Amino acid sequence: MKNTDISSIGEFGLIDMIKNQFADSKDNKNIVAGIGDDSFCFKSGKNNICITKDMLVEDVHFKKDWTTPQEIGRKSIEVNVSDIAAMGNVKPEYAFIGLGLPPKTSEIFIKNLYKGFKKACDKYEMAIAGGNTVKADKITISITIVGIGKEKVIKRNGAGSGDLIGVTDTFGNAGAGLALLYKYGTKHKYNKYEHFLISKQNNPKARLKEAQKISKHLTSLTDVSDGLYISVDLLAKDSGKGAEIYMDKIPVSSSLKKVFREDKKQLDLALFGAEDYELIFTVPHSKAKLLKKLVPHISYIGKIDSSEKVKYFYDGKEQKIKYSGYKHF
Amino acid sequence: MKNTDISSIGEFGLIDMIKNQFADSKDNKNIVAGIGDDSFCFKSGKNNICITKDMLVEDVHFKKDWTTPQEIGRKSIEVNVSDIAAMGNVKPEYAFIGLGLPPKTSEIFIKNLYKGFKKACDKYEMAIAGGNTVKADKITISITIVGIGKEKVIKRNGAGSGDLIGVTDTFGNAGAGLALLYKYGTKHKYNKYEHFLISKQNNPKARLKEAQKISKHLTSLTDVSDGLYISVDLLAKDSGKGAEIYMDKIPVSSSLKKVFREDKKQLDLALFGAEDYELIFTVPHSKAKLLKKLVPHISYIGKIDSSEKVKYFYDGKEQKIKYSGYKHF
């Protein structure tokens, strides 16, 4: 065996390696959704128990200079609730907070971080169920959320040919906010459009209510954490299907348009900018109008086909799109 | 507010700060065991779902030089299963593995780490339910285990006056192993007794079977992760009681006696050496014999009284014991 390091295998190589090793976990009949879905769900009597777990590391996922401790706390909870929302009509019930802290971390920082955790948990009527703290070199936040649902959970792999592909709101804002912070830092005098984009980066909101409202009509569902491009790919591939995406239909905010005036740049941010935490889903054509009544800010950006390829169109013409997202390793 | 850092508040100050802020999580009637117990447990139909979560950080909880990646993987699972065992007759069902990895981590290291996870999970017939990997400066392992039980969970706070205090096996081995590694490193030629102690540090085993066998007779239960002294204190305080501990009855291994010949040193390691992961419990006097039939390697080391103080005796005489354990911050 070659002693390759993980920066050369890449994140997806690493995930494949791990998936492989634990494929047999799928044999358990109580498991409703497993590796490859946004949360792990198992049956317990009439309930589906859904569990999500994510780790955020200082200077990788957040920078203390760019965001307040309260925002870090809130965001850590929101991004995990987003993974619960990605399973459909599930209520997040309990949050567990693991913290790795450098000994020099100030008491005020921790108090404000916890204020952020608490505010986000209160918003979802979720109890902070436990947590532990250990010494670490960088602030490390490991959140586990337990959700309980009574309806069928919606997985990534149920999209059918002809289904419409819908999304809950606009894309590219969070990535644009991050780009601004990278370019100008925090001392810069930002205008209100730029502020909006930065706030989308620092204060994302999970689309839990939307998921709960539309869940029972959906054939597949996931949240968009690593950019629309990757999420479309996952939905299509996991369902064994292909898709057509109409780029002119991808919704972008008026702030994004004001700050990044080029069409191409807007679409780049929408497709490859991470951390929008909007939902993407598929729904039979017959249900499309009903869904827009339930959640008016839904847009349809394409449809599922049986081609096993994802094709992008702009103004009716097929486009070559090359992945240009962020690599974790 | 003073801007104190956490190295001056200390770990227990930090826990108090956090506990305080989230005391209201106890109001939820589905919560069976919450903050202050080894696992968080909630009712779901007829099941108790128990969840434990722990984070291990390189150079804080393990050193790559002192232990193999497989051992690190196994230990990470065992210490979390130990927290499940500390709730009584609960079956660990699902494990979640969050990993923070420096980009230079070798593929072989990760494969062996996962081999360790997998071996320990197989041992407990537990499925690896999911996991995620993020970039980090130091190897960070965050494990969440979900256990399911049908019987009453055993908490820390149920000890009654007159109950005997029992433990599952010998103490001080893991701490002694760590002391040897600190003193002589890994290149040293250790004898078989020293090897035994080091293996207790690197390969702890959760006392799950024992917990499952004796659970229904117990009034309180916890696992000893930070030394016997702290665990006795927790059981007594959480139950609103006191205790008498007979130090001559604290079981120590023959290897510990061979390597550390002084009585005082042995007792120091047993009381303050961490990571033995034995169980400590209380049981009504009438059940004490039955328990020893179920688990022959049980010893009784003291009894609960109503004094609200923990007193230590050696050879019939009360001893002054000063806490001298490891501070996390």
Side-chain angles (χ1 to χ4, degrees):
Chain A
M1 195 176 350
K2 267 198 317 179
N3 200 351
T4 342
D5 68 33
I6 48 169
S7 58
S8 59
I9 321 173
E11 194 195 5
F12 293 103
L14 184 62
I15 292 172
D16 274 347
M17 199 176 98
I18 295 168
K19 254 189 182 171
N20 243 343
Q21 211 152 348
F22 302 117
D24 53 345
S25 72
K26 294 195 174 168
D27 301 340
N28 183 322
K29 70 177 173 28
N30 288 318
I31 299 178
V32 178
I35 290 172
D37 266 291
D38 300 283
S39 296
F40 172 84
C41 306
F42 66 96
K43 276 252 161 271
S44 163
K46 287 176 185 168
N47 293 331
N48 289 314
I49 313 277
C50 296
I51 297 179
T52 176
K53 183 176 163 68
D54 215 347
M55 205 194 275
L56 292 93
V57 181
E58 183 185 355
D59 293 332
V60 178
H61 302 91
F62 61 87
K63 280 184 195 290
K64 276 164 81 177
D65 287 350
W66 289 0
T67 174
T68 67
Q70 268 209 47
E71 284 172 337
I72 298 168
R74 251 149 56 193
K75 183 169 173 174
S76 314
I77 299 293
E78 291 282 352
V79 306
N80 277 283
V81 171
S82 182
D83 276 329
I84 293 286
M87 304 315 293
N89 192 359
V90 180
K91 163 78 180 70
E93 290 282 358
Y94 308 110
F96 299 81
I97 298 166
L99 279 184
L101 296 172
K104 284 286 153 211
T105 312
S106 76
E107 194 180 336
I108 291 178
F109 182 90
I110 302 170
K111 285 203 169 157
N112 282 319
L113 184 66
Y114 262 89
K115 247 183 220 166
F117 293 142
K118 179 84 172 118
K119 271 194 184 168
C121 287
D122 283 351
K123 176 181 157 190
Y124 295 110
E125 294 178 346
M126 185 164 51
I128 308 220
N132 65 321
T133 52
V134 300
K135 199 163 71 174
D137 282 350
K138 299 260 182 171
I139 296 170
T140 307
I141 303 171
S142 167
I143 305 282
T144 299
I145 288 181
V146 177
I148 302 181
K150 302 211 178 285
E151 286 175 19
K152 187 170 172 259
V153 300
I154 310 299
K155 301 172 50 161
R156 276 194 203 145
N157 65 4
S161 294
D163 284 356
L164 293 186
I165 300 170
V167 293
T168 43
D169 210 324
T170 58
F171 286 85
N173 301 316
L178 187 65
L180 291 172
L181 286 168
Y182 264 113
K183 193 159 179 187
Y184 304 110
T186 46
K187 306 271 189 257
H188 184 76
K189 213 172 139 43
Y190 289 110
N191 65 34
K192 65 176 177 179
Y193 309 111
E194 293 164 331
H195 263 301
F196 171 84
L197 299 175
I198 290 171
S199 81
K200 285 290 192 173
Q201 167 62 222
N202 287 339
N203 293 298
K205 305 270 177 277
R207 294 297 190 180
L208 184 70
K209 269 190 199 158
E210 289 81 351
Q212 290 170 338
K213 276 184 191 163
I214 63 177
S215 166
K216 66 173 164 229
H217 307 292
L218 307 182
T219 54
S220 73
L221 172 63
T222 189
D223 71 325
V224 182
S225 48
D226 295 323
L228 198 48
Y229 181 91
I230 286 187
S231 295
V232 168
D233 228 50
L234 285 173
L235 277 192
K237 272 193 190 139
D238 286 3
S239 302
K241 304 289 176 192
E244 293 192 347
I245 301 294
Y246 314 118
M247 291 163 74
D248 6 16
K249 295 205 172 166
I250 294 173
V252 291
S253 66
S254 56
S255 294
L256 188 73
K257 287 180 189 166
K258 294 264 191 221
V259 179
F260 295 89
R261 290 173 183 275
E262 271 179 76
D263 246 32
K264 193 189 164 321
K265 184 67 190 166
Q266 290 162 24
L267 279 168
D268 253 20
L269 285 163
L271 288 175
F272 306 116
E275 302 207 282
D276 284 316
Y277 300 105
E278 296 297 335
L279 299 173
I280 181 166
F281 54 86
T282 56
V283 62
H285 210 289
S286 60
K287 298 282 177 67
K289 273 195 184 160
L290 168 66
L291 253 62
K292 262 197 84 74
K293 265 187 205 156
L294 295 172
V295 179
H297 51 90
I298 278 177
S299 309
Y300 294 104
I301 61 165
K303 65 171 192 237
I304 295 292
D305 62 28
S306 54
S307 71
E308 294 185 33
K309 273 185 195 160
V310 178
K311 294 173 292 292
Y312 284 82
F313 295 87
Y314 189 86
D315 209 9
K317 281 180 222 121
E318 191 172 345
Q319 308 289 315
K320 274 199 181 158
I321 303 285
K322 228 180 87 186
Y323 178 67
S324 71
Y326 170 76
K327 276 196 202 138
H328 287 282
F329 285 104
Chain B
M1 195 175 352
K2 268 200 315 179
N3 200 354
T4 342
D5 67 34
I6 48 168
S7 57
S8 58
I9 318 172
E11 195 197 6
F12 292 102
L14 185 63
I15 292 173
D16 274 346
M17 198 175 99
I18 295 167
K19 255 190 182 171
N20 242 344
Q21 212 153 347
F22 302 117
D24 52 346
S25 72
K26 294 200 174 167
D27 300 341
N28 183 323
K29 70 176 171 31
N30 287 318
I31 299 178
V32 177
I35 290 172
D37 267 292
D38 299 284
S39 296
F40 172 83
C41 307
F42 66 94
K43 275 250 160 272
S44 162
K46 285 177 187 166
N47 293 331
N48 288 315
I49 313 277
C50 295
I51 297 178
T52 174
K53 183 176 163 67
D54 214 347
M55 205 193 273
L56 291 93
V57 181
E58 182 185 355
D59 293 332
V60 179
H61 301 91
F62 61 88
K63 281 185 196 289
K64 276 163 79 176
D65 288 350
W66 289 359
T67 171
T68 68
Q70 268 209 48
E71 284 172 336
I72 298 169
R74 251 150 55 194
K75 182 168 173 173
S76 313
I77 299 293
E78 291 282 352
V79 305
N80 277 282
V81 171
S82 181
D83 275 329
I84 293 285
M87 304 314 293
N89 191 358
V90 180
K91 163 79 179 70
E93 290 283 357
Y94 308 111
F96 299 81
I97 298 166
L99 280 185
L101 296 172
K104 286 285 154 213
T105 312
S106 77
E107 194 180 337
I108 291 178
F109 182 90
I110 302 170
K111 284 202 169 157
N112 283 320
L113 184 66
Y114 262 88
K115 246 184 221 165
F117 293 142
K118 179 83 172 118
K119 270 196 185 167
C121 287
D122 283 352
K123 176 181 158 191
Y124 295 110
E125 295 178 345
M126 185 164 52
I128 308 222
N132 66 321
T133 52
V134 300
K135 199 164 70 176
D137 282 350
K138 298 261 180 167
I139 296 171
T140 307
I141 303 171
S142 167
I143 306 281
T144 299
I145 288 182
V146 177
I148 302 180
K150 301 209 178 289
E151 284 175 18
K152 187 170 172 260
V153 300
I154 309 299
K155 301 172 52 162
R156 275 194 205 147
N157 64 5
S161 295
D163 284 357
L164 293 187
I165 300 170
V167 293
T168 43
D169 210 324
T170 58
F171 286 84
N173 301 316
L178 188 65
L180 291 172
L181 286 169
Y182 264 113
K183 194 158 180 188
Y184 303 110
T186 46
K187 307 269 189 257
H188 185 77
K189 215 171 139 40
Y190 290 109
N191 65 34
K192 65 175 177 179
Y193 309 111
E194 292 164 332
H195 263 301
F196 172 83
L197 299 175
I198 291 171
S199 83
K200 286 290 193 172
Q201 167 61 222
N202 287 340
N203 293 298
K205 305 271 177 276
R207 294 296 189 180
L208 184 71
K209 269 190 197 157
E210 289 81 351
Q212 290 171 337
K213 277 185 193 164
I214 63 177
S215 167
K216 66 174 163 227
H217 307 292
L218 307 183
T219 54
S220 72
L221 172 63
T222 189
D223 71 324
V224 182
S225 48
D226 296 322
L228 197 49
Y229 180 90
I230 286 188
S231 295
V232 169
D233 228 49
L234 285 173
L235 277 192
K237 273 196 189 137
D238 287 5
S239 302
K241 304 288 177 196
E244 294 192 346
I245 301 294
Y246 314 118
M247 292 162 76
D248 7 15
K249 295 204 172 168
I250 295 174
V252 291
S253 66
S254 56
S255 293
L256 188 75
K257 286 181 190 165
K258 294 261 191 226
V259 180
F260 295 90
R261 289 173 184 275
E262 270 179 77
D263 245 33
K264 195 190 164 320
K265 184 67 189 166
Q266 291 163 22
L267 279 169
D268 252 20
L269 285 163
L271 287 174
F272 306 117
E275 301 206 283
D276 283 316
Y277 300 107
E278 296 297 336
L279 299 173
I280 181 167
F281 55 86
T282 56
V283 61
H285 210 289
S286 59
K287 299 283 177 68
K289 273 196 185 159
L290 169 65
L291 253 62
K292 262 197 85 77
K293 265 187 206 158
L294 295 171
V295 179
H297 52 88
I298 278 177
S299 310
Y300 293 105
I301 63 166
K303 65 170 191 237
I304 296 292
D305 63 27
S306 54
S307 71
E308 295 185 31
K309 274 184 195 162
V310 178
K311 294 173 291 293
Y312 284 83
F313 294 87
Y314 190 86
D315 210 8
K317 280 179 223 121
E318 191 172 346
Q319 308 288 315
K320 274 201 180 154
I321 304 285
K322 231 181 85 186
Y323 177 67
S324 71
Y326 171 76
K327 276 197 200 137
H328 285 284
F329 285 104

